[in-house]
Amino acid sequence: MPPRKQTQVNVAPKVIQGDLKNLVPVVRDFIERNAKLCQPEAVHICDGSEEENKRILELMAEQGMIRKLSKYENCWLASTDPRDVARIESKTVIVTQEQRDTIPLPQSGVSQLGRWMSEEGFEKAFSVRFPGCMKGRTMYVIPFSMGPLDSPLSKFGIELTDSPYVVASMRIMTRMGTSVLEALGNGEFVKCLHSVGCPLPLKKPLVNNWPCNPDMTLIAHIPDHREIISFGSGYGGNSLLGKKCFALRIASRIAKEEGWLAEHMLILGITNPEGEKKYFVAAFPSACGKTNLAMMNPTLPGWKVECVGDDIAWMKFDEEGNLRAINPENGFFGVAPGTSEKTNPNAMKTIQKNTIFTNVGETSDGGVYWEGIDEPLEPGVTVLSWKNKEWTTKSGEPCAHPNSRFCTPASQCPIIDSAWEAPGGVPIEGIIFGGRRPEGVPLVYEAFNWQHGVFIGATMRSEATAAAEHKGKILMHDPFAMRPFFGYNFGQYLSHWLSMAHRPAAKLPKIFHVNWFRKDKQGRFLWPGYGENSRVLEWMFKRVQGEGSARLTAIGYVPDDAGLNLKGLEGVDMQALFDVSKEFWEKEVEEIKKYFEEQVNADLPYEMEREVLALEQRIKQL
């Protein structure tokens, strides 16, 4: 890639915290080069301390970016510019020499499996955005670790940003500060550059005191150089570059090269009444109850669920052939609407302190409010919506943005697993895929084998969600729940997953698919969900143990009549929950074939073609 044009300025920014001279040359060069380009007024090297965090929060409060929530301990609320509220897939790109390194070439139209930008196109985009973009602002240097500092599975990054919101949020979401610089030494790190794109003095006033530049937003990943470059958005997924940008897009590419997996998966531990424990990972698209499952309170007596992570898993086979996983994050960045004492009591306990809320409603007594919080307001308490307007249930619009968030430390979760920071990770024995499918897809089924399981992951579909900018409820293909996060060509990604079966001594986890969201003809959910999902986990747990009764169907193994423990649960229509309709699955097979042909095209591994044909044959015999 050609060297980026540097804008020369005579005045070096003053370093207001830390000392550049104490940094190793490669880190110092990274900072100085970008300071020269972006021209901040000052440079602040983050140490990650409590005192620094306090100062950053106070600074944001002074600037009107956040407000203190008096009802809780050290909790804050940010309301963003309404144009900066979610990940923007249309402006998120992977930059490689060849388009096919990033995405399969679709038969026609636009790829749904990522966006490619040429190196030349990126250089042009970079040069119109970054020179002078931090004028009048402070450049914060955030050294961070994805994963526990002492884990061989962890990776380091350094993010340069002009947003104090990013500093405070990255301190929650990653291990951050001086200890990371010490652990990094002369080692490799992912270079992350972020700017809100609002140099001072401002050309136009801010909305909600939230700096952003939506017309110029671009989130670019350069995997060959291990770089992430983000401009114009202050929102979490676009600005907290350790999250999806590093932990999935860049990490999936590193994982392909190094022989491991970086996945959009929760990690949970399940303990049965006899005290035996097993760990599972699960991939769900947004709005499918991922955080709820990761923090579940089981309704089954004697069963226990503990949370290792709610969003991302990095997994690698160890020398004994066990697939071991770490949660590379340090916090939860959860969707607020729909979170309540009923749906996720553990999340509600986690967010009572040290939490940054974004785009939720605010109550007049210093609390938070959102759709589905299920808490009646005290008499006389009023609500301000995320748009800072007086709000009532009659307002005709939501009080919280559908993608509003809480950013909270994982260590505060009452059911955090005792091994959540174990350097060697936890051993994974089951992999769960799932989606929001109102019809046709059973509550749970098990893959015939690893290859069939990879096919199930590749053919996941789900109703669309507010986490990205898509509108309405349309059924979207979301393979492995990674569709917006692939760091390289999806066909090669499938081959990488398939290759795990050929690892010497690999103990391959069983693979399952779940669907909590099947409805009857009246549009009512057939399954109660939430804590009752522990009944499905129990069946999977037993299947992993070599127990648990099942019957064979055209799409996989499902629990037989005695397989699912329904004790104490009334009115569940097992026939409707597990029906495998010939008519529905004939259409599903056609959809899968069309998707593979149009989107994966020449890059589809032949094993996946074989799986489609095999499924088609089995459906014909129904």
Side-chain angles (χ1 to χ4, degrees):
M1 196 175 284
R4 296 194 188 118
K5 297 182 189 74
Q6 299 288 329
T7 304
Q8 297 296 329
V9 285
N10 297 325
V11 186
K14 62 179 185 291
V15 179
I16 55 173
Q17 180 171 298
D19 189 343
L20 288 171
K21 292 199 284 293
N22 295 339
L23 302 176
V24 295
V26 65
V27 173
R28 182 175 176 174
D29 174 66
F30 172 58
I31 298 165
E32 288 181 337
R33 203 161 23 89
N34 285 293
K36 193 178 274 191
L37 172 78
C38 301
Q39 300 173 36
E41 187 175 281
V43 171
H44 173 126
I45 302 166
C46 296
D47 60 19
S49 67
E50 189 56 60
E51 186 197 348
E52 174 186 73
N53 185 50
K54 202 168 162 231
R55 287 203 317 271
I56 294 281
L57 292 167
E58 283 167 359
L59 172 75
M60 283 195 282
E62 278 166 30
Q63 292 174 350
M65 255 184 109
I66 60 172
R67 301 190 291 280
K68 199 165 195 340
L69 294 162
S70 56
K71 200 171 179 178
Y72 319 110
E73 182 190 334
N74 191 33
C75 287
W76 304 81
L77 173 60
S79 301
T80 72
D81 184 315
R83 297 171 301 163
D84 189 22
V85 292
R87 284 185 292 102
I88 310 174
E89 287 172 24
S90 57
K91 296 182 177 186
T92 302
V93 300
I94 311 274
V95 181
T96 50
Q97 280 189 323
E98 301 296 326
Q99 184 172 354
R100 206 165 162 184
D101 292 337
T102 293
I103 46 173
L105 303 185
Q107 256 184 359
S108 61
V110 176
S111 173
Q112 296 168 16
L113 292 160
R115 291 181 89 85
W116 175 73
M117 186 180 256
S118 70
E119 293 180 336
E120 299 70 36
F122 172 71
E123 285 306 329
K124 205 178 285 180
F126 184 89
S127 62
V128 297
R129 285 167 173 79
F130 279 90
C133 66
M134 296 186 184
K135 278 182 179 170
R137 297 190 180 276
T138 296
M139 174 190 275
Y140 296 96
V141 178
I142 308 172
F144 65 96
S145 174
M146 299 310 294
L149 275 173
D150 54 351
S151 170
L153 296 170
S154 296
K155 301 282 180 194
F156 298 120
I158 295 178
E159 177 166 358
L160 310 179
T161 179
D162 53 7
S163 165
Y165 173 86
V166 169
V167 179
S169 303
M170 285 287 281
R171 186 174 183 269
I172 294 170
M173 292 307 300
T174 69
R175 286 93 179 159
M176 180 268 260
T178 307
S179 56
V180 177
L181 282 176
E182 288 163 1
L184 169 63
N186 265 314
E188 289 182 2
F189 63 96
V190 172
K191 299 178 174 74
C192 306
L193 175 62
H194 168 257
S195 174
V196 291
C198 291
L200 298 174
L202 293 169
K203 291 191 172 68
K204 51 187 172 188
L206 299 178
V207 179
N208 288 339
N209 296 307
W210 181 265
C212 61
N213 189 342
D215 298 334
M216 295 293 280
T217 296
L218 181 69
I219 301 99
H221 308 72
I222 312 168
D224 289 339
H225 293 246
R226 307 288 193 251
E227 287 183 32
I228 304 162
I229 292 171
S230 172
F231 186 91
S233 170
Y235 165 78
N238 305 325
S239 65
L240 311 183
L241 300 185
K243 194 150 183 62
K244 309 295 197 198
C245 297
F246 182 161
L248 290 177
R249 296 191 193 98
I250 293 291
S252 65
R253 168 67 186 272
I254 297 173
K256 173 180 171 267
E257 292 171 15
E258 297 181 355
W260 50 281
L261 299 165
E263 299 299 327
H264 187 206
M265 292 178 172
L266 65 88
I267 311 170
L268 55 78
I270 311 168
T271 307
N272 70 7
E274 290 70 53
E276 298 166 300
K277 187 171 194 175
K278 296 192 179 301
Y279 289 96
F280 285 70
V281 291
F284 298 130
S286 266
C288 290
K290 202 167 161 210
T291 303
N292 293 351
L293 180 61
M295 299 188 194
M296 180 206 288
N297 277 344
T299 51
L300 282 180
W303 285 79
K304 186 164 74 167
V305 165
E306 289 164 294
C307 176
V308 177
D310 78 325
D311 197 37
I312 295 170
W314 286 0
M315 300 181 284
K316 190 175 189 177
F317 284 100
D318 66 15
E319 286 170 6
E320 284 78 51
N322 300 302
L323 186 62
R324 301 194 74 90
I326 62 164
N327 168 15
E329 299 191 294
N330 194 43
F332 303 128
F333 188 66
V335 174
T339 307
S340 69
E341 281 297 336
K342 181 195 166 199
T343 63
N344 196 335
N346 289 312
M348 293 301 284
K349 291 183 181 80
T350 306
I351 60 180
Q352 296 298 312
K353 59 182 182 181
N354 305 319
T355 299
I356 299 172
F357 296 91
T358 303
N359 288 341
V360 301
E362 181 182 8
T363 60
S364 56
D365 61 348
V368 290
Y369 208 72
W370 51 73
E371 279 57 42
I373 197 169
D374 243 11
E375 285 178 7
L377 291 166
E378 296 288 323
V381 170
T382 56
V383 179
L384 268 185
S385 80
W386 74 281
K387 294 179 177 173
N388 290 321
K389 291 191 218 161
E390 289 287 331
W391 181 89
T392 70
T393 48
K394 299 184 181 68
S395 292
E397 60 178 14
C399 85
H401 186 274
N403 192 42
S404 53
R405 297 280 172 159
F406 53 79
C407 181
T408 193
S411 59
Q412 293 178 184
C413 178
I415 59 157
I416 198 75
D417 194 274
S418 58
W420 86 281
E421 294 190 286
V426 295
I428 301 302
E429 294 187 61
I431 295 171
I432 305 166
F433 294 119
R436 186 177 274 269
R437 299 298 305 268
E439 59 177 313
V441 179
L443 175 65
V444 59
Y445 59 100
E446 177 192 325
F448 300 126
N449 51 43
W450 182 261
Q451 183 171 300
H452 180 231
V454 173
F455 172 73
I456 289 170
T459 55
M460 282 168 60
R461 296 169 74 203
S462 191
E463 280 186 342
T465 131
E469 78 270 39
H470 303 289
K471 304 282 189 287
K473 293 203 169 176
I474 49 168
L475 210 53
M476 289 181 70
H477 287 271
D478 195 348
F480 292 79
M482 281 283 285
R483 184 193 53 77
F485 309 122
F486 291 119
Y488 62 100
N489 181 310
F490 173 53
Q492 296 168 21
Y493 170 94
L494 286 173
S495 297
H496 183 56
W497 263 81
L498 291 165
S499 76
M500 297 296 149
H502 310 304
R503 304 207 149 236
K507 297 171 193 164
L508 297 169
K510 278 189 180 288
I511 297 178
F512 303 88
H513 187 283
V514 298
N515 173 31
W516 319 128
F517 303 99
R518 195 167 185 174
K519 293 178 178 177
D520 63 16
K521 288 186 172 64
Q522 286 71 47
R524 293 179 300 231
F525 287 117
L526 286 163
W527 181 249
Y530 304 116
E532 301 297 358
N533 293 338
S534 55
R535 298 170 188 273
V536 177
L537 292 181
E538 179 193 33
W539 181 74
M540 291 190 274
F541 189 102
K542 287 183 170 174
R543 293 295 291 166
V544 167
Q545 280 183 317
E547 303 163 8
S549 50
R551 64 184 169 87
L552 188 63
T553 73
I555 61 170
Y557 298 103
V558 301
D560 65 11
D561 292 343
L564 213 54
N565 177 355
L566 296 177
K567 198 174 172 189
L569 198 58
E570 301 293 318
V572 171
D573 185 343
M574 291 288 283
Q575 175 64 36
L577 260 181
F578 286 100
D579 178 53
V580 177
S581 147
K582 183 172 185 175
E583 188 188 359
F584 173 87
W585 280 94
E586 279 174 343
K587 284 188 203 145
E588 191 76 1
V589 168
E590 286 312 306
E591 275 293 330
I592 291 167
K593 278 162 72 172
K594 185 176 158 206
Y595 181 70
F596 278 173
E597 281 164 18
E598 289 179 1
Q599 287 293 319
V600 199
N601 199 359
D603 289 309
L604 186 71
Y606 71 91
E607 295 95 333
M608 294 295 98
E609 290 178 43
R610 283 214 309 250
E611 288 293 337
V612 182
L613 293 171
L615 176 61
E616 191 170 30
Q617 288 304 316
R618 295 193 300 268
I619 299 299
K620 273 183 185 157
Q621 288 160 19
L622 282 175

